[in-house]
Amino acid sequence: MSIVAFKVPLLKMELEQRDGQWSVKAHYYESWAREQGIEIGDIVLAIGKKPIASMPLVPYDETIRGANELTIKKHDGTIIKIAVLHVDLPAQFYLHVLFPIIYFVLSLVAALYLYKKQQDIESVKWLSGFILTVALTYLSSVASSKGDFIGTIINSGGIFLVPLILLQFLKGYYNYLHIKWPFIQHIERFYVLPIMGAVLGGVEILYPYTKSVIVIILLATSFLLFSFPLSILLYSYYKERTVQLRLLILSVILPFSPFLLLFVLPEVLWQRPILQAEYSILFVLLIPFCFMFLRVTERLFDIHYYITRTNYYLMATAILTVWLYIGLYFLLEKESGWEIVFFLFISILLFFYIKEKADVKYRNILFTPKGNTIRQLSRAINQMSEAYKVEELLAILKQEAIKHLEIENIEIVAFDEKERKMPVCYTIESEQIHQLQVGEVIKLSNEYVALIHQEPHIKRLLLIEHRNVIRLKDEELLWLKLLLKYTESTIESLKKIEELLQELRNVQQTAEQEPVWLKKLVWLKVEQEKYYVAQELHDTVLQNLTHLTREMSLLLENDAAISVQGLYQQMQNNVQDLRSYCETLKPPVLDKLGLTVALSQLAQQVSNKANFKLSTTFERVYLQNEQLPLVIYRIVQELLNNALKHSEAEKVTLSLQEVDEGFELIYEDDGIGCTLEQMLQTDSLGIRGIRERVEAFNGKCRIVTNINEGVFIHIIIEGHEEDD
């Protein structure tokens, strides 16, 4: 495509037929035509070595597209030959040869970069294809405009393929942004259109008389295809209102508008574009790189910032423009030029000072002779982040203030609101201190005063002595206010950290094991999770099995269903087991009928399965802590499970009695027993869990056991609640 563009310069010279001859009607490059002596009405005899009468496309196009040489017959009968060289058409050489090659190379590099860096992301693959397709279509457009067969086929198919790949990229990008893709789920079905476009391009070259119709079809179809992505973006933005979609819309509307409205639409409606294709297409070439920037960098917030601050700069520019227009309107009547120069110089200088004040007041952004204020603030914050105590933090604050403000007399003092006294060297009154807000800086006769941090009766103040010989600049006050805000929040965090560390030290000094509140918290969390699991099993699996069991019972009423009797019995057993698991995790009878009835039912269930004789005594107990009934139930449940699985006892006794503001639980069996060390080390016995439950409520658990001597466990928990 580049070779074709270079070998044959583009002329686009319009012709008209007169008396069987083709004469010049209009020039595209008028200055070149004047230099070559070509005038309107001159007769064109040959294009290159071919007579114009043998050119099949001329009668239908009436335009000389490309030529290396022209044979012209002047009005006086003189015949001249004119060589068409790129050196005589520099603008065309840049637009049609050099720039398309550079753009294609850049596009190829960008596509390879995207593929190498993010080849596993779907939208990036489509973006790479979109960039290359736009570049190739643009490169072939020059060859197509000169009637090249291959260039026309590629260009005709490309103008259909570009919007389809754009749709594929947008679909992948929507998925990346987690935005619902609204239309056209199967875009690949439309890939027949580029093939049809390429075929129409070939037909246009082979059968020149179809050119006018085919051009309209190609442009109208491409206009509709390019409208799809824009419509989808507008619809999505109407629904979502996200910054990313707004930026995508701007990236499509701004470049596409000149191409569609100034070239495609006028060409379709009136066959006369307002702006020629080689100029309007330049805007479209920005789209791939706009998308690449959005997709690769993802610095959407920064882009949003640049867009939103446009209003601010438009207002400032408008004010300056009006001022300069009024001033120059009166000054231009005078002959002296130095007055205009002086007026412009002073106006621009004043504008910068006014803008600086506006930035300080409304935007909190300022550049100073010492460098960027934010950079200085960042350095100070980095220093302060290394402090682990409030005293260290305040010392760093003082040093940074002395260094940045270049003032030696800076102090940090604590003001006691009860005593309401300040050192005599300072002029601030207690009432002024009381009205101060954190981060606020006020100027008094001898010092600046700022509130750093406030506690119930103590206020920490930053005092900067000036004695009417030092004035803090706007940028210095801004720096100080921001640093004080950061210091105040950091002090609050450090105090909380110090309190937690002190609490942990106290725990470490007073308890060798885990604190009671931690055991209680863990146990309550475990019980809560058990409740959730039981509720989930009951509401899902158990309900489904119950329904299936009912269905099976209906089948059993039919004689032909006798064969499913075993299956039905198995399902009933599963339902019963699952219900038992749920009741174990979340005993419903405990909430409905109370602790005594729940324990009695639990004991009855164990007796039905046990090989030992179970004797129980459950007195009614009155407990202030609403969590204790569940604690008792879990302990009894664990003790009876151990008796079933491990004790090999013949007799087990269990009693629950009320004591002063609490309860006493006694378990005893005559089983095989074991040593206390073995019992505590064996997780399967659950003794460790029992002891942790008891200790979580400040209770006592005494265990007596030995080999072949059974087990005796005595548990007592007081009913009063601890303030933990």
Side-chain angles (χ1 to χ4, degrees):
M1 298 299 100
S2 302
I3 292 173
V4 171
F6 179 75
K7 288 178 63 176
V8 184
L10 182 68
L11 286 181
K12 296 175 69 173
M13 183 184 292
E14 296 185 23
L15 305 177
E16 62 179 350
Q17 194 171 27
R18 291 180 181 178
D19 301 327
Q21 294 180 319
W22 291 98
S23 61
V24 178
K25 179 181 179 182
H27 300 294
Y28 186 72
Y29 297 105
E30 293 184 359
S31 59
W32 173 84
R34 283 196 302 270
E35 292 175 0
Q36 304 299 325
I38 303 175
E39 300 175 345
I40 303 298
D42 288 349
I43 298 173
V44 179
L45 299 178
I47 302 174
K49 302 297 183 181
K50 296 182 180 180
I52 193 169
S54 64
M55 306 291 291
L57 192 59
V58 172
Y60 304 101
D61 194 15
E62 297 185 344
T63 304
I64 299 176
R65 293 287 175 177
N68 296 106
E69 186 182 69
L70 292 177
T71 303
I72 302 292
K73 182 179 180 181
K74 303 292 291 181
H75 296 287
D76 57 2
T78 305
I79 298 177
I80 59 173
K81 290 187 177 182
I82 300 172
V84 184
L85 303 174
H86 283 295
V87 69
D88 299 325
L89 301 167
Q92 182 193 128
F93 176 76
Y94 294 131
L95 282 175
H96 293 179
V97 180
L98 187 60
F99 186 77
I101 295 175
I102 294 174
Y103 183 82
F104 185 84
V105 172
L106 290 176
S107 300
L108 183 61
V109 172
L112 291 174
Y113 172 80
L114 288 174
Y115 181 78
K116 181 179 179 181
K117 293 295 183 181
Q118 297 179 327
Q119 56 181 314
D120 56 332
I121 302 177
E122 180 185 4
S123 60
V124 172
K125 295 179 180 178
W126 287 112
L127 178 58
S128 302
F130 179 64
I131 291 174
L132 289 176
T133 307
V134 170
L136 184 59
T137 304
Y138 175 53
L139 193 63
S140 65
S141 63
V142 180
S144 174
S145 64
K146 298 174 182 179
D148 181 75
F149 182 78
I150 298 178
T152 303
I153 291 176
I154 295 176
N155 185 256
S156 301
I159 60 175
F160 288 178
L161 185 60
V162 167
L164 294 179
I165 297 183
L166 175 59
L167 283 173
Q168 291 279 21
F169 163 71
L170 290 178
K171 184 179 179 182
Y173 194 58
Y174 271 45
N175 182 58
Y176 173 78
L177 297 176
H178 304 290
I179 298 175
K180 183 180 179 182
W181 178 251
F183 304 116
I184 314 177
Q185 295 298 327
H186 301 287
I187 303 173
E188 59 274 5
R189 296 176 180 175
F190 292 89
Y191 282 122
V192 66
L193 292 177
I195 300 175
M196 294 174 58
V199 171
L200 288 175
V203 172
E204 174 190 338
I205 298 298
L206 296 176
Y207 304 98
Y209 58 86
T210 63
K211 178 180 176 62
S212 58
V213 177
I214 290 178
V215 168
I216 298 299
I217 294 174
L218 292 175
L219 291 177
T221 307
S222 66
F223 180 83
L224 293 176
L225 288 177
F226 278 114
S227 300
F228 278 137
L230 182 57
S231 302
I232 290 174
L233 285 171
L234 291 173
Y235 175 81
S236 302
Y237 181 70
Y238 174 76
K239 292 290 185 181
E240 302 290 341
R241 300 284 181 176
T242 63
V243 175
Q244 294 93 331
L245 289 179
R246 179 165 52 182
L247 295 173
L248 283 173
I249 291 173
L250 291 176
S251 300
V252 173
I253 289 181
L254 294 179
F256 264 139
S257 297
F259 177 68
L260 294 179
L261 301 179
L262 300 180
F263 173 72
V264 176
L265 198 59
E267 182 72 24
V268 171
L269 297 178
W270 307 293
Q271 287 75 52
R272 178 70 64 178
I274 299 174
L275 185 66
Q276 293 297 329
E278 59 255 44
Y279 298 104
S280 60
I281 196 67
L282 296 177
F283 296 94
V284 180
L285 300 180
L286 297 174
I287 296 177
F289 291 96
C290 289
F291 286 168
M292 178 181 172
F293 180 77
L294 292 177
R295 183 62 190 82
V296 175
T297 63
E298 291 301 322
R299 295 176 59 87
L300 295 178
F301 178 79
D302 291 341
I303 300 172
H304 181 60
Y305 167 71
Y306 281 108
I307 292 175
T308 52
R309 73 174 180 173
T310 304
N311 296 334
Y312 175 77
Y313 285 119
L314 284 176
M315 182 181 66
T317 305
I319 295 173
L320 179 63
T321 302
V322 172
W323 168 259
L324 292 177
Y325 176 79
I326 295 174
L328 293 175
Y329 179 80
F330 292 102
L331 288 175
L332 287 176
E333 296 180 356
K334 301 180 179 180
E335 297 181 359
S336 178
W338 68 267
E339 294 180 349
I340 297 176
V341 174
F342 181 75
F343 171 75
L344 290 175
F345 179 80
I346 296 299
S347 298
I348 296 173
L349 184 64
L350 289 175
F351 171 76
F352 282 129
Y353 273 103
I354 295 172
K355 180 182 178 300
E356 179 182 341
K357 297 296 182 182
D359 285 341
V360 174
K361 185 174 182 180
Y362 298 109
R363 303 176 67 213
N364 284 343
I365 295 176
L366 196 62
F367 290 85
T368 73
K370 298 178 184 178
N372 190 346
T373 300
I374 303 302
R375 187 179 304 150
Q376 297 286 342
L377 180 66
S378 176
R379 186 181 63 82
I381 290 175
N382 288 335
Q383 292 287 331
M384 298 171 70
S385 63
E386 299 176 359
Y388 292 97
K389 293 183 179 180
V390 175
E391 291 75 15
E392 295 178 9
L393 181 68
L394 295 176
I396 295 174
L397 171 63
K398 178 180 176 180
Q399 292 300 320
E400 288 296 322
I402 292 173
K403 184 186 301 183
H404 184 77
L405 302 178
E406 299 178 355
I407 300 175
E408 293 293 334
N409 297 325
I410 296 179
E411 296 293 337
I412 296 176
V413 299
F415 174 75
D416 192 334
E417 290 188 321
K418 291 182 178 180
E419 298 182 0
R420 291 181 174 270
K421 290 183 179 180
M422 283 287 293
V424 294
C425 58
Y426 298 109
T427 60
I428 185 170
E429 301 291 336
S430 59
E431 188 62 31
Q432 292 174 313
I433 297 176
H434 182 71
Q435 295 176 355
L436 270 178
Q437 301 294 324
V438 174
E440 182 182 1
V441 182
I442 61 174
K443 183 181 180 182
L444 301 178
S445 58
N446 292 326
E447 64 271 335
Y448 288 94
V449 182
L451 178 59
I452 302 173
H453 182 253
Q454 179 174 314
E455 295 181 12
H457 302 293
I458 301 295
K459 290 187 175 182
R460 291 186 175 90
L461 303 175
L462 180 69
L463 303 175
I464 304 172
E465 188 175 355
H466 63 79
R467 299 192 179 277
N468 288 322
V469 296
I470 298 174
R471 186 184 69 85
L472 294 182
K473 305 179 184 68
D474 290 336
E475 65 268 17
E476 293 171 334
L477 288 172
L478 174 62
W479 177 89
L480 185 59
K481 290 177 182 179
L482 293 174
L483 191 60
L484 289 173
K485 287 285 187 181
Y486 174 80
T487 304
E488 195 270 339
S489 61
T490 306
I491 289 176
E492 289 294 328
S493 300
L494 288 176
K495 290 180 69 64
K496 291 180 180 179
I497 293 173
E498 289 179 357
E499 291 173 0
L500 289 174
L501 289 174
Q502 185 59 43
E503 184 177 350
L504 289 175
R505 291 191 197 100
N506 295 337
V507 169
Q508 189 175 13
Q509 293 172 0
T510 57
E512 296 180 358
Q513 299 179 353
E514 297 170 342
V516 171
W517 60 267
L518 181 58
K519 294 181 179 180
K520 187 174 182 179
L521 180 63
V522 171
W523 178 79
L524 290 175
K525 189 64 179 176
V526 170
E527 290 297 333
Q528 186 181 26
E529 292 301 321
K530 286 183 179 179
Y531 178 86
Y532 290 151
V533 172
Q535 191 69 41
E536 189 69 21
L537 288 173
H538 181 274
D539 294 343
T540 56
V541 181
L542 182 58
Q543 293 296 328
N544 293 335
L545 286 175
T546 302
H547 174 72
L548 290 174
T549 304
R550 290 173 183 162
E551 294 292 326
M552 294 293 294
S553 65
L554 294 177
L555 289 174
L556 288 175
E557 295 177 1
N558 189 344
D559 294 339
I562 299 300
S563 59
V564 297
Q565 178 68 41
L567 180 60
Y568 171 70
Q569 187 61 43
Q570 184 179 359
M571 292 180 68
Q572 275 193 325
N573 295 337
N574 290 337
V575 170
Q576 188 61 34
D577 291 341
L578 190 55
R579 183 175 285 110
S580 176
Y581 295 150
C582 291
E583 291 176 355
T584 300
L585 291 169
K586 184 195 67 143
V589 69
L590 184 62
D591 297 330
K592 296 178 181 178
L593 302 178
L595 177 62
T596 305
V597 177
L599 292 177
S600 299
Q601 288 191 4
L602 178 61
Q604 185 62 43
Q605 293 173 3
V606 173
S607 296
N608 294 337
K609 297 185 288 184
N611 295 324
F612 52 77
K613 181 181 179 181
L614 177 61
S615 300
T616 59
T617 303
F618 299 129
E619 294 183 359
R620 189 175 298 276
V621 293
Y622 298 93
L623 305 169
Q624 295 182 3
N625 193 327
E626 61 183 10
Q627 298 166 356
L628 284 178
L630 182 58
V631 174
I632 297 171
Y633 185 88
R634 293 299 186 199
I635 292 174
V636 172
Q637 189 178 49
E638 195 65 46
L639 291 172
L640 293 178
N641 283 338
N642 285 340
L644 278 173
K645 297 177 181 178
H646 308 291
S647 69
E648 299 182 15
E650 295 181 359
K651 184 179 180 180
V652 175
T653 59
L654 187 64
S655 65
L656 173 66
Q657 299 175 356
E658 183 179 9
V659 297
D660 186 23
E661 295 184 350
F663 70 91
E664 179 186 51
L665 184 64
I666 299 175
Y667 168 88
E668 187 174 5
D669 68 48
D670 58 357
I672 59 175
C674 63
T675 64
L676 183 60
E677 292 76 12
Q678 291 175 340
M679 180 177 289
L680 294 177
Q681 291 175 1
T682 305
D683 292 337
S684 61
L685 295 179
I687 299 300
R688 184 180 301 172
I690 292 174
R691 294 188 67 175
E692 288 181 353
R693 285 189 176 98
V694 173
E695 292 174 357
F697 289 86
N698 295 319
K700 299 177 182 179
C701 179
R702 186 169 69 92
I703 303 172
V704 179
T705 181
N706 213 333
I707 298 176
N708 297 325
E709 293 183 4
V711 176
F712 175 83
I713 299 176
H714 180 220
I715 297 171
I716 184 168
I717 296 179
E718 299 294 333
H720 64 277
E721 297 191 32
E722 295 293 328
D723 188 21
D724 46 55

